[in-house]
Amino acid sequence: MGEIKLQINPKNRPAVPAVNWQQARVLEMQEEYAAAFDTSLVNTIEEMRAAYNEERKMWNTGGPVMAETVDFDVPYEGDKVPVRLLRPVKAEKLPVIFFMHGGGFVEGNNDTHSMAQRKLAAYSGCVVIGIDYSLAPEIKYPRAIKECVAVCHYVSEHADEYGIDPEKIGFAGDSGGANMAMGVCMCLRDEGFDVSKIKGNILLVLCQDLVQVKMRFSSS
């Protein structure tokens, strides 16, 4: 298959009708951040994370402006879990969505998923709590899950301080973060948490299990 080249006009509207102008702009931005996509330059997990952080910048410019953004730490077993609170509008009390970022459990943070968190807050009208859980391989399962559970309890116990309604809780995440969100709900259920307070989950491109992957490769 030959190489496909696009000619982008000043309004970013491509000459090829099969690609809309938003897709064309993504192609332009990928070219701008091309070095971050070159995995041949990555030799360590630190370099992988740095490249991922650089590549994600293209997805986090602009977007909704929050009425309030607060970074704080939640204590956990003698350590701290970094957390970001995003309030879309000024209100005394709002429902809360706990957001766990994707990144294959080994990379990502609240900055790499800033746009997703801000859009979620703006579109839902909820406070979004982004959790910077510890990453593998430095930590082992279920540490990250337990950290997120601890954040849920802490924020709920300080509901008045953070202006959230502890009776209206939701969880969200993408990819590995969606897996985390589902795992946190199950962990809360198993420890006796009142799950009637959990009003819903938003699980984007959910990384659920490896059964289907195993079946697909076994049959090929």
Side-chain angles (χ1 to χ4, degrees):
M1 183 177 293
E3 182 181 0
I4 298 176
K5 294 184 178 180
L6 297 179
Q7 293 182 340
I8 311 300
N9 67 23
K11 293 184 179 180
N12 293 328
R13 298 187 182 278
V16 181
V19 181
N20 66 34
W21 71 269
Q22 292 103 327
Q23 292 170 319
R25 180 55 187 143
V26 168
L27 293 174
E28 287 184 331
M29 294 176 73
Q30 286 180 331
E31 182 66 24
E32 294 169 17
Y33 289 89
F37 290 92
D38 189 351
T39 55
S40 67
L41 303 176
V42 174
N43 296 304
T44 67
I45 193 166
E46 289 77 15
E47 292 175 348
M48 178 185 72
R49 288 170 178 165
Y52 182 77
N53 293 347
E54 183 66 23
E55 178 264 320
R56 290 292 302 187
K57 288 180 180 179
M58 64 181 282
W59 303 108
N60 289 291
T61 56
V65 177
M66 298 290 98
E68 180 182 30
T69 300
V70 180
D71 289 325
F72 61 99
D73 294 325
V74 171
Y76 177 74
E77 293 190 351
D79 208 341
K80 297 178 180 179
V81 183
V83 171
R84 176 169 296 166
L85 180 151
L86 299 169
R87 185 181 303 279
V89 295
K90 292 183 178 180
E92 183 176 346
K93 183 181 292 187
L94 292 173
V96 60
I97 298 174
F98 295 92
F99 184 92
M100 279 127 271
H101 65 79
F105 311 104
V106 298
E107 57 190 358
N109 51 54
N110 284 331
D111 290 332
T112 61
H113 287 68
S114 171
M115 177 74 82
Q117 293 180 12
R118 287 182 285 119
K119 282 191 172 183
L120 179 60
Y123 296 162
S124 69
C126 298
V127 166
V128 168
I129 301 289
I131 306 175
D132 245 338
Y133 55 86
S134 297
L135 301 173
E138 290 87 347
I139 62 96
K140 304 297 182 183
Y141 172 87
R143 167 82 187 206
I145 293 284
K146 295 295 187 181
E147 288 180 351
C148 295
V149 169
V151 170
C152 178
H153 284 308
Y154 182 89
V155 172
S156 296
E157 291 165 3
H158 296 78
D160 291 340
E161 177 182 349
Y162 296 116
I164 63 103
D165 185 348
E167 302 297 317
K168 296 179 180 178
I169 296 173
F171 293 90
D174 66 301
S175 192
N179 178 286
M180 292 279 295
M182 184 173 62
V184 170
C185 287
M186 295 174 70
C187 190
L188 287 168
R189 176 202 63 189
D190 292 346
E191 69 178 26
F193 183 81
D194 183 0
V195 295
S196 68
K197 297 178 180 180
I198 301 176
K199 304 305 180 183
N201 292 328
I202 303 173
L203 308 176
L204 307 173
V205 291
L206 170 61
C207 171
Q208 186 172 356
D209 58 49
L210 297 177
V211 173
Q212 295 298 323
V213 175
K214 182 179 179 181
M215 291 174 61
R216 184 166 66 250
F217 279 95
S218 296
S219 61
S220 62

